Amino acid sequence: MIMKHLHILLLTVLISITSMGQTDTDLQSPRLFAPDIISTSLQEFNASFTPDGKRLFFSRATVGWGYIAIYTSELKQGKWTTPKEVSFTGIYRDTDPFVSSDGSKLYFMSDRPVNGNAFKDFAYSFFYVELKNGVPNSEPVPVKIPLPEGLNGLYPSISKNGNIYFHARNNQTADIYVSRLNNNSYETPEKLSFNTNEYNDYDAIISKDESFIIFVSSNRKGQGGSDLWISYQEENNQWSEPINLGKTINSAGNEGAPGLSPDNKTLFFSGTREIIQRDEWIRTGTKPSPSTILNTYKNGLMNIYQVSITDFLKQK
């Protein structure tokens, strides 16, 4: 009987460890997330989980963003199932999924028409669908935010209290905003304090308690192209000067599309770190299989990576 209980306990621990891919100790440097299942030869980005960590939503897109769709996968016996597109996706560009902290709603961005208006290419709005046991269970519903004229919200992220964070572009740069939920209605968006016209800041993910925010910038002085940055909320809705997540997480290339694990301790992001190198084939004269190369996650398209950010949470 004791051995049976020990076996059950060990199995539970192993499933817990593999639910996000590796333990925090293993994730001190970025690791490819679920290779050949979630991260494949296709272009993948975003990662948002139900509160129990057992269902994932993410995006896949063609090169050039001509077509984008939202996919979902379920964690069963420590392994992620083959992803399937969600029921409402397929016609319009649906992307950037975000699961509410209570798991009741899936927010996303789409260029589907709103309120009977005509379709307009790349005219994105925020929507949500109800979730039942982690599965979409309603038609998409527009999220009503009083956006000023000319301001188009992108990349929704929602805190536990319902405040919605997003970025919006003007002619030159992108800035990050928050629209606060008050009596079940969203207030006029406010720009976060660290944003200026000098920097291009976008694709922000907020922690559940709003204690920190991680975002992408393409022109702050970092490690390479677009980098991931973190800022901490201070008193009176002010935010600290952003800190670059460093060369362990950021590369000389582009990092983007951040997401957080349910406990907010693991960061998920998109990148192209593992790219096929031809040196060995040229040196040895070995001929690879072209179809194998083209259909591997190392073909240069974006994949999803994961890394622990516990050290950055201690810095506050």
Side-chain angles (χ1 to χ4, degrees), residues 30-33 39 267-274 297 302-307:
R31 300 284 183 88
L32 192 68
F33 177 60
S39 296
L267 172 67
F268 293 80
F269 65 93
S270 65
T272 54
R273 291 166 175 260
E274 301 179 56
Y297 60 80
M302 287 195 304
N303 293 128
I304 298 174
Y305 290 81
Q306 56 182 332
V307 65

Side-chain angles (χ1 to χ4, degrees), residues 22-286:
Q22 288 90 14
T23 64
D24 279 345
T25 302
D26 295 329
L27 291 175
Q28 295 308 304
S29 59
R31 300 284 183 88
L32 192 68
F33 177 60
D36 296 320
I37 301 174
I38 306 299
S39 296
T40 68
S41 61
L42 302 175
Q43 183 155 248
E44 292 102 3
F45 53 101
N46 307 129
S48 189
F49 299 85
T50 51
D52 60 6
K54 293 182 179 180
R55 184 171 287 276
L56 161 72
F57 295 90
F58 67 101
S59 301
R60 280 177 169 166
T62 56
V63 176
W65 316 108
Y67 187 82
I68 315 174
I70 295 174
Y71 280 74
T72 186
S73 175
E74 190 175 3
L75 187 67
K76 291 186 176 181
Q77 298 181 335
K79 292 185 178 181
W80 292 98
T81 59
T82 300
K84 296 180 179 179
E85 65 271 18
V86 295
S87 57
F88 60 83
T89 202
I91 299 176
Y92 303 102
R93 292 184 183 90
D94 301 322
T95 186
D96 302 344
F98 184 92
V99 180
S100 62
S101 61
D102 64 0
S104 66
K105 292 182 176 67
L106 175 69
Y107 292 84
F108 65 99
M109 187 174 79
S110 177
D111 65 359
R112 63 185 60 219
V114 180
N115 300 326
N117 295 331
F119 168 74
K120 185 178 179 181
D121 214 19
F122 288 107
Y124 288 114
S125 298
F126 295 153
F127 295 82
Y128 73 84
V129 293
E130 302 285 349
L131 292 179
K132 184 177 181 180
N133 298 321
V135 178
N137 192 44
S138 74
E139 291 298 314
V141 178
V143 178
K144 297 179 181 179
I145 301 176
L147 295 171
E149 184 69 27
L151 197 67
N152 187 26
L154 303 166
Y155 211 87
S157 178
I158 296 86
S159 62
K160 187 175 182 179
N161 61 17
N163 293 343
I164 185 166
Y165 290 73
F166 59 91
H167 77 265
R169 294 185 178 276
N170 57 31
N171 292 332
Q172 301 297 323
T173 61
D175 295 306
I176 299 169
Y177 293 79
V178 57
S179 181
R180 304 184 191 284
L181 187 64
N182 187 6
N183 293 324
N184 296 318
S185 296
Y186 281 107
E187 298 178 344
T188 301
E190 303 170 8
K191 190 184 297 187
L192 299 196
S193 60
F194 59 76
N195 277 132
T196 69
N197 291 333
E198 179 182 359
Y199 297 116
N200 193 39
D201 299 334
Y202 54 96
D203 286 8
I205 191 83
I206 189 68
S207 63
K208 289 180 180 179
D209 61 1
E210 297 179 292
S211 61
F212 69 91
I213 192 167
I214 292 176
F215 64 94
V216 183
S217 182
S218 61
N219 66 343
R220 290 178 183 267
K221 188 176 181 180
Q223 308 299 321
S226 59
D227 274 12
L228 293 161
W229 297 73
I230 188 170
S231 175
Y232 305 97
Q233 184 158 200
E234 301 174 333
E235 296 180 355
N236 301 318
N237 297 323
Q238 295 298 297
W239 291 84
S240 68
E241 187 65 22
I243 299 171
N244 188 273
L245 291 187
K247 62 182 180 181
T248 298
I249 294 178
N250 290 310
S251 69
N254 295 314
E255 281 71 40
L260 291 168
S261 60
D263 63 5
N264 283 191
K265 293 180 180 179
T266 301
L267 172 67
F268 293 80
F269 65 93
S270 65
T272 54
R273 291 166 175 260
E274 301 179 56
I275 300 176
I276 287 290
Q277 302 296 328
R278 297 184 300 159
D279 298 8
E280 183 178 351
W281 307 326
I282 294 173
R283 178 172 52 81
T284 62
T286 304

